[in-house]
Amino acid sequence: MELIDIGANLAHDSFDADRDAILKRAVAAGVAQIVITGSSQESTGKAIELSRAHPGVLFATAGVHPHHAADLTVDTLPALQALARDPHVVAAGECGLDYFRDFSPRDLQRRAFGWQLGIAKATGKPVFLHQRDAHDDFIAILREHGIRHGVAHCFTAGEKECDAYLELGLLIGITGWINDERRGLHLREVVKRIPADRLLIETDAPYLLPRDIKPAPKTRRNEPAFLPYVVRAIAAARGETPETVAANSTKAARALFGLPARAESSQ
Ligand SMILES: [Zn+2]
């Protein structure tokens, strides 16, 4: 299987001590390429740095997560715009709305989201989207900006939200949430609605460790090498083989992010 992890927070400091080992384990598990999530200006810078060190294997997104929306101001926006134009950056975001945690005021979340959709349009890059408990505002802002090119990452919602995203033209990213036998059961139904060429796979590492890893790693830290668990859970839900899910999601990821068909480097 040749897999692409479209959402791994490899800039996270929990990987600082053993990032090279993490990358080796990912390759050994069949993860050929990884898109590193930029969720702040700092993590975006780090994601770009890592992508430069591993050309053709690692790629970056450039964005500010809704939790940090208050950090994106008229003064800091130009720096993010510059980061987004870097050739290693394959998407604008992670951006969106999170009304579940409300770590930033909602008006500032909407402003930061709109700005980043503007960056996506200016650069011609797809958007890497985050949404929690904010579906109506989220869809309205996407429509207002005429966004049809991107991925709703870490999708955990229901049929209504899934259909709305598909109708907009977005792809859907599925994480190890689907492996969760307590809160992921509805996703096993919803995932059947996603056309094969619109379904992407991701770990969201270091978060969302698949619950069916036995024995679970003591650290509870997720990593790209665990992506095959997500593939198998999706395959079981859709009645497909893991190889089919892998091949289709890899093809869809390359098409959306414009990734090369083969890694240029074996690092
Ligand atoms: Zn997210």
Side-chain angles (χ1 to χ4, degrees), residues 137-177:
D137 279 4
F138 182 76
I139 284 286
I141 293 171
L142 286 171
R143 286 214 179 99
E144 191 184 304
H145 285 78
I147 295 288
R148 310 193 60 84
H149 188 47
V151 54
H153 120 93
C154 192
F155 182 85
T156 58
E159 291 180 358
K160 181 188 104 173
E161 291 84 357
C162 183
D163 290 353
Y165 297 162
L166 290 173
E167 198 192 302
L168 264 182
L170 301 177
L171 282 74
I172 311 279
I174 300 290
T175 60
W177 194 279

Short mmCIF file of all heavy atoms in Angstrom, two decimals, residues 137-177:
data_model
loop_
_atom_site.label_atom_id
_atom_site.label_comp_id
_atom_site.label_asym_id
_atom_site.label_seq_id
_atom_site.Cartn_x
_atom_site.Cartn_y
_atom_site.Cartn_z
N ASP A 137 -22.49 28.81 9.99
CA ASP A 137 -21.61 29.94 9.68
C ASP A 137 -20.50 29.53 8.73
O ASP A 137 -20.12 30.27 7.82
CB ASP A 137 -20.95 30.49 10.97
CG ASP A 137 -21.89 31.42 11.74
OD1 ASP A 137 -23.05 31.57 11.31
OD2 ASP A 137 -21.45 31.97 12.77
N PHE A 138 -20.00 28.33 8.96
CA PHE A 138 -18.88 27.80 8.16
C PHE A 138 -19.27 27.69 6.68
O PHE A 138 -18.58 28.21 5.80
CB PHE A 138 -18.54 26.43 8.75
CG PHE A 138 -17.38 25.70 8.12
CD1 PHE A 138 -16.08 26.08 8.39
CD2 PHE A 138 -17.60 24.60 7.31
CE1 PHE A 138 -15.01 25.37 7.85
CE2 PHE A 138 -16.54 23.90 6.77
CZ PHE A 138 -15.25 24.28 7.04
N ILE A 139 -20.39 27.07 6.44
CA ILE A 139 -20.87 26.89 5.05
C ILE A 139 -21.17 28.25 4.42
O ILE A 139 -20.83 28.50 3.26
CB ILE A 139 -22.13 25.98 5.04
CG1 ILE A 139 -21.72 24.53 5.24
CG2 ILE A 139 -22.94 26.15 3.76
CD1 ILE A 139 -21.07 23.86 4.05
N ALA A 140 -21.77 29.14 5.20
CA ALA A 140 -22.12 30.46 4.66
C ALA A 140 -20.87 31.21 4.23
O ALA A 140 -20.84 31.84 3.16
CB ALA A 140 -22.89 31.26 5.72
N ILE A 141 -19.82 31.15 5.05
CA ILE A 141 -18.57 31.87 4.72
C ILE A 141 -17.89 31.24 3.51
O ILE A 141 -17.38 31.94 2.63
CB ILE A 141 -17.64 31.92 5.96
CG1 ILE A 141 -18.29 32.81 7.04
CG2 ILE A 141 -16.26 32.45 5.60
CD1 ILE A 141 -17.59 32.78 8.39
N LEU A 142 -17.90 29.92 3.43
CA LEU A 142 -17.31 29.24 2.26
C LEU A 142 -18.05 29.65 0.99
O LEU A 142 -17.44 29.94 -0.04
CB LEU A 142 -17.38 27.72 2.42
CG LEU A 142 -16.40 27.10 3.42
CD1 LEU A 142 -16.73 25.62 3.65
CD2 LEU A 142 -14.96 27.22 2.93
N ARG A 143 -19.40 29.70 1.07
CA ARG A 143 -20.20 30.08 -0.10
C ARG A 143 -19.93 31.52 -0.50
O ARG A 143 -19.77 31.83 -1.68
CB ARG A 143 -21.69 29.91 0.22
CG ARG A 143 -22.12 28.47 0.26
CD ARG A 143 -23.57 28.30 -0.26
NE ARG A 143 -23.93 26.88 -0.22
CZ ARG A 143 -24.65 26.32 0.76
NH1 ARG A 143 -25.14 27.06 1.74
NH2 ARG A 143 -24.90 25.03 0.74
N GLU A 144 -19.87 32.38 0.51
CA GLU A 144 -19.64 33.80 0.27
C GLU A 144 -18.33 34.02 -0.49
O GLU A 144 -18.23 34.91 -1.34
CB GLU A 144 -19.56 34.45 1.66
CG GLU A 144 -19.58 35.94 1.74
CD GLU A 144 -19.37 36.34 3.21
OE1 GLU A 144 -20.16 35.87 4.07
OE2 GLU A 144 -18.40 37.06 3.49
N HIS A 145 -17.32 33.18 -0.19
CA HIS A 145 -16.01 33.32 -0.84
C HIS A 145 -15.90 32.47 -2.10
O HIS A 145 -14.84 32.46 -2.73
CB HIS A 145 -14.89 32.95 0.13
CG HIS A 145 -14.62 34.00 1.16
ND1 HIS A 145 -15.42 34.19 2.27
CD2 HIS A 145 -13.67 34.96 1.23
CE1 HIS A 145 -14.95 35.19 2.98
NE2 HIS A 145 -13.90 35.68 2.37
N GLY A 146 -16.95 31.73 -2.42
CA GLY A 146 -16.91 30.91 -3.63
C GLY A 146 -15.84 29.82 -3.59
O GLY A 146 -15.26 29.48 -4.60
N ILE A 147 -15.64 29.26 -2.38
CA ILE A 147 -14.61 28.21 -2.23
C ILE A 147 -15.19 26.85 -2.62
O ILE A 147 -16.21 26.43 -2.12
CB ILE A 147 -14.12 28.17 -0.76
CG1 ILE A 147 -13.41 29.47 -0.40
CG2 ILE A 147 -13.25 26.94 -0.52
CD1 ILE A 147 -12.06 29.67 -1.02
N ARG A 148 -14.50 26.15 -3.54
CA ARG A 148 -14.95 24.83 -3.95
C ARG A 148 -13.80 23.85 -4.01
O ARG A 148 -13.92 22.77 -4.57
CB ARG A 148 -15.59 24.91 -5.34
CG ARG A 148 -16.64 26.00 -5.52
CD ARG A 148 -17.43 25.82 -6.79
NE ARG A 148 -18.13 24.54 -6.82
CZ ARG A 148 -19.32 24.32 -6.26
NH1 ARG A 148 -19.95 25.27 -5.63
NH2 ARG A 148 -19.88 23.12 -6.33
N HIS A 149 -12.65 24.26 -3.48
CA HIS A 149 -11.43 23.50 -3.70
C HIS A 149 -10.74 23.33 -2.36
O HIS A 149 -10.10 24.26 -1.86
CB HIS A 149 -10.57 24.34 -4.68
CG HIS A 149 -9.35 23.65 -5.18
ND1 HIS A 149 -9.34 22.36 -5.67
CD2 HIS A 149 -8.06 24.08 -5.28
CE1 HIS A 149 -8.12 22.04 -6.05
NE2 HIS A 149 -7.33 23.06 -5.82
N GLY A 150 -10.93 22.17 -1.73
CA GLY A 150 -10.30 21.99 -0.43
C GLY A 150 -10.77 20.70 0.24
O GLY A 150 -11.47 19.89 -0.37
N VAL A 151 -10.36 20.55 1.51
CA VAL A 151 -10.72 19.35 2.26
C VAL A 151 -11.25 19.75 3.64
O VAL A 151 -10.67 20.60 4.31
CB VAL A 151 -9.53 18.37 2.39
CG1 VAL A 151 -8.29 19.05 2.98
CG2 VAL A 151 -9.92 17.13 3.20
N ALA A 152 -12.37 19.13 4.00
CA ALA A 152 -12.89 19.26 5.36
C ALA A 152 -12.15 18.23 6.19
O ALA A 152 -12.47 17.03 6.14
CB ALA A 152 -14.39 19.01 5.39
N HIS A 153 -11.12 18.68 6.91
CA HIS A 153 -10.22 17.75 7.59
C HIS A 153 -10.83 17.25 8.89
O HIS A 153 -11.65 17.91 9.50
CB HIS A 153 -8.85 18.43 7.79
CG HIS A 153 -8.43 18.55 9.20
ND1 HIS A 153 -7.64 17.61 9.82
CD2 HIS A 153 -8.68 19.49 10.13
CE1 HIS A 153 -7.43 17.98 11.07
NE2 HIS A 153 -8.04 19.10 11.29
N CYS A 154 -10.43 16.05 9.27
CA CYS A 154 -10.91 15.40 10.49
C CYS A 154 -12.43 15.49 10.60
O CYS A 154 -12.97 15.98 11.59
CB CYS A 154 -10.25 16.00 11.73
SG CYS A 154 -10.56 15.01 13.21
N PHE A 155 -13.09 14.99 9.58
CA PHE A 155 -14.55 15.05 9.58
C PHE A 155 -15.10 14.08 10.63
O PHE A 155 -14.74 12.90 10.66
CB PHE A 155 -15.09 14.66 8.19
CG PHE A 155 -16.58 14.74 8.10
CD1 PHE A 155 -17.20 15.95 7.82
CD2 PHE A 155 -17.37 13.63 8.35
CE1 PHE A 155 -18.59 16.04 7.78
CE2 PHE A 155 -18.75 13.71 8.31
CZ PHE A 155 -19.35 14.91 8.02
N THR A 156 -15.99 14.60 11.50
CA THR A 156 -16.58 13.75 12.53
C THR A 156 -18.09 13.96 12.63
O THR A 156 -18.73 13.41 13.51
CB THR A 156 -15.97 14.07 13.92
OG1 THR A 156 -16.21 15.45 14.21
CG2 THR A 156 -14.49 13.79 13.96
N ALA A 157 -18.64 14.77 11.72
CA ALA A 157 -20.05 15.15 11.84
C ALA A 157 -20.96 14.11 11.17
O ALA A 157 -20.56 12.96 10.95
CB ALA A 157 -20.25 16.54 11.25
N GLY A 158 -22.15 14.53 10.81
CA GLY A 158 -23.15 13.59 10.32
C GLY A 158 -23.42 13.72 8.82
O GLY A 158 -22.69 14.39 8.10
N GLU A 159 -24.52 13.06 8.41
CA GLU A 159 -24.87 13.02 6.97
C GLU A 159 -25.11 14.41 6.40
O GLU A 159 -24.70 14.72 5.29
CB GLU A 159 -26.14 12.19 6.78
CG GLU A 159 -25.92 10.72 7.06
CD GLU A 159 -27.19 9.91 6.86
OE1 GLU A 159 -28.26 10.51 6.54
OE2 GLU A 159 -27.13 8.67 7.03
N LYS A 160 -25.79 15.26 7.16
CA LYS A 160 -26.15 16.59 6.67
C LYS A 160 -24.90 17.39 6.32
O LYS A 160 -24.79 17.98 5.24
CB LYS A 160 -26.96 17.33 7.75
CG LYS A 160 -27.43 18.71 7.36
CD LYS A 160 -28.06 19.45 8.55
CE LYS A 160 -27.08 20.48 9.09
NZ LYS A 160 -27.62 21.37 10.12
N GLU A 161 -23.95 17.39 7.24
CA GLU A 161 -22.70 18.13 7.02
C GLU A 161 -21.90 17.53 5.88
O GLU A 161 -21.36 18.25 5.03
CB GLU A 161 -21.86 18.14 8.31
CG GLU A 161 -22.44 18.97 9.45
CD GLU A 161 -23.47 18.21 10.28
OE1 GLU A 161 -23.80 17.04 9.93
OE2 GLU A 161 -23.97 18.79 11.27
N CYS A 162 -21.86 16.20 5.84
CA CYS A 162 -21.11 15.51 4.78
C CYS A 162 -21.66 15.88 3.42
O CYS A 162 -20.92 16.24 2.50
CB CYS A 162 -21.19 13.99 5.02
SG CYS A 162 -20.24 13.04 3.83
N ASP A 163 -22.98 15.81 3.30
CA ASP A 163 -23.61 16.12 2.00
C ASP A 163 -23.37 17.58 1.60
O ASP A 163 -23.16 17.88 0.43
CB ASP A 163 -25.11 15.81 2.05
CG ASP A 163 -25.38 14.32 2.12
OD1 ASP A 163 -24.40 13.54 1.99
OD2 ASP A 163 -26.54 13.91 2.31
N ALA A 164 -23.41 18.47 2.58
CA ALA A 164 -23.21 19.89 2.28
C ALA A 164 -21.79 20.13 1.76
O ALA A 164 -21.58 20.91 0.82
CB ALA A 164 -23.47 20.73 3.53
N TYR A 165 -20.82 19.48 2.36
CA TYR A 165 -19.43 19.65 1.91
C TYR A 165 -19.24 19.07 0.52
O TYR A 165 -18.57 19.66 -0.32
CB TYR A 165 -18.44 18.98 2.88
CG TYR A 165 -18.42 19.56 4.27
CD1 TYR A 165 -17.89 18.85 5.33
CD2 TYR A 165 -18.92 20.83 4.52
CE1 TYR A 165 -17.86 19.36 6.61
CE2 TYR A 165 -18.91 21.35 5.80
CZ TYR A 165 -18.38 20.62 6.83
OH TYR A 165 -18.36 21.14 8.10
N LEU A 166 -19.82 17.90 0.31
CA LEU A 166 -19.68 17.26 -1.01
C LEU A 166 -20.33 18.14 -2.09
O LEU A 166 -19.77 18.30 -3.18
CB LEU A 166 -20.31 15.86 -1.00
CG LEU A 166 -19.55 14.81 -0.18
CD1 LEU A 166 -20.36 13.51 -0.10
CD2 LEU A 166 -18.16 14.53 -0.74
N GLU A 167 -21.47 18.71 -1.74
CA GLU A 167 -22.17 19.56 -2.70
C GLU A 167 -21.34 20.80 -3.06
O GLU A 167 -21.38 21.27 -4.20
CB GLU A 167 -23.51 19.97 -2.09
CG GLU A 167 -24.52 20.49 -3.09
CD GLU A 167 -25.69 21.14 -2.37
OE1 GLU A 167 -26.34 20.45 -1.56
OE2 GLU A 167 -25.92 22.34 -2.61
N LEU A 168 -20.58 21.29 -2.07
CA LEU A 168 -19.72 22.45 -2.34
C LEU A 168 -18.53 22.08 -3.22
O LEU A 168 -17.86 22.95 -3.75
CB LEU A 168 -19.18 23.00 -1.02
CG LEU A 168 -19.88 24.17 -0.37
CD1 LEU A 168 -19.13 24.57 0.89
CD2 LEU A 168 -19.98 25.36 -1.31
N GLY A 169 -18.23 20.77 -3.30
CA GLY A 169 -17.09 20.33 -4.11
C GLY A 169 -15.88 19.95 -3.29
O GLY A 169 -14.81 19.68 -3.83
N LEU A 170 -16.06 19.94 -1.95
CA LEU A 170 -14.92 19.64 -1.06
C LEU A 170 -14.66 18.14 -0.97
O LEU A 170 -15.55 17.33 -1.24
CB LEU A 170 -15.21 20.18 0.35
CG LEU A 170 -15.45 21.67 0.46
CD1 LEU A 170 -15.79 22.01 1.91
CD2 LEU A 170 -14.22 22.46 0.00
N LEU A 171 -13.45 17.81 -0.56
CA LEU A 171 -13.11 16.45 -0.21
C LEU A 171 -13.27 16.29 1.30
O LEU A 171 -13.36 17.30 2.03
CB LEU A 171 -11.67 16.11 -0.64
CG LEU A 171 -11.50 15.83 -2.14
CD1 LEU A 171 -11.57 17.09 -2.96
CD2 LEU A 171 -10.18 15.10 -2.42
N ILE A 172 -13.31 15.04 1.77
CA ILE A 172 -13.53 14.79 3.20
C ILE A 172 -12.34 14.00 3.74
O ILE A 172 -11.97 12.97 3.19
CB ILE A 172 -14.82 13.95 3.41
CG1 ILE A 172 -16.00 14.53 2.63
CG2 ILE A 172 -15.11 13.78 4.89
CD1 ILE A 172 -16.70 15.69 3.25
N GLY A 173 -11.77 14.50 4.85
CA GLY A 173 -10.65 13.81 5.50
C GLY A 173 -11.15 12.99 6.68
O GLY A 173 -11.83 13.51 7.56
N ILE A 174 -10.77 11.70 6.70
CA ILE A 174 -11.20 10.81 7.78
C ILE A 174 -9.99 10.40 8.61
O ILE A 174 -8.97 9.96 8.07
CB ILE A 174 -11.90 9.54 7.21
CG1 ILE A 174 -13.14 9.93 6.40
CG2 ILE A 174 -12.25 8.58 8.35
CD1 ILE A 174 -14.31 10.47 7.19
N THR A 175 -10.13 10.55 9.93
CA THR A 175 -9.06 10.19 10.87
C THR A 175 -9.43 8.93 11.65
O THR A 175 -10.46 8.30 11.39
CB THR A 175 -8.88 11.31 11.92
OG1 THR A 175 -10.13 11.44 12.61
CG2 THR A 175 -8.51 12.64 11.28
N GLY A 176 -8.61 8.62 12.65
CA GLY A 176 -8.87 7.47 13.51
C GLY A 176 -10.08 7.62 14.40
O GLY A 176 -10.39 6.74 15.20
N TRP A 177 -10.79 8.73 14.27
CA TRP A 177 -12.09 8.89 14.95
C TRP A 177 -12.98 7.69 14.58
O TRP A 177 -13.74 7.17 15.39
CB TRP A 177 -12.74 10.20 14.50
CG TRP A 177 -13.88 10.68 15.33
CD1 TRP A 177 -15.17 10.24 15.26
CD2 TRP A 177 -13.86 11.69 16.34
NE1 TRP A 177 -15.95 10.93 16.16
CE2 TRP A 177 -15.17 11.83 16.85
CE3 TRP A 177 -12.85 12.51 16.88
CZ2 TRP A 177 -15.50 12.74 17.85
CZ3 TRP A 177 -13.19 13.42 17.88
CH2 TRP A 177 -14.50 13.52 18.35
#
